[in-house]
Amino acid sequence: PLKLYPNPTGNEATISMSFKKADHFVISVLDIQGREVVPVIERDFTTGEQQVAINTSELVNGMYFVQIASGSEKVTVQSLPI
C-alpha cells in the first residue's frame, strides 16, 4: 500500500510505500497537464516499508499527481492537493 501525507500538503509531502521486492524506482510529481514539476527522484529501494520526502514549497496551489515507475511499469498513484 501507498500513503501520501499530509493531504493537503504545504512545503513537504511524504510518500510511504511498501515493496515486495528490491528494485530501482523513479518518482515524479506531475501537474494536471502531465508535466514534471518537481525534480525526479531516482532511487534503489529495498523490500519493506520505505519513505520519501518531496519538497513542494515551490509549487503553486493546485492539484498534482505522484507517479512511481519501475522498469516499464508506470503507476500514477495518488493526487496531491497543495
Side-chain angles (χ1 to χ4, degrees):
L2 177 109
K3 298 175 189 166
L4 182 62
Y5 57 91
N7 193 347
T9 190
N11 291 330
E12 184 176 271
T14 300
I15 301 172
S16 177
M17 307 160 277
S18 182
F19 298 113
K20 293 182 181 179
K21 66 175 188 165
D23 205 343
H24 183 80
F25 289 88
V26 177
I27 301 170
S28 305
V29 178
L30 311 171
D31 65 12
I32 59 173
Q33 282 87 33
R35 296 177 297 212
E36 292 177 351
V37 293
V38 170
V40 171
I41 298 169
E42 288 194 56
R43 193 174 297 168
D44 293 323
F45 289 99
T46 58
T47 57
E49 189 76 19
Q50 307 290 323
Q51 291 187 340
V52 175
I54 299 173
N55 181 349
T56 57
S57 63
E58 299 294 319
L59 299 179
V60 298
N61 289 349
M63 185 64 68
Y64 298 89
F65 300 92
V66 176
Q67 177 177 278
I68 299 178
S70 169
S72 61
E73 186 177 341
K74 287 184 182 177
V75 180
T76 300
V77 291
Q78 194 165 353
S79 60
L80 176 65
I82 303 222

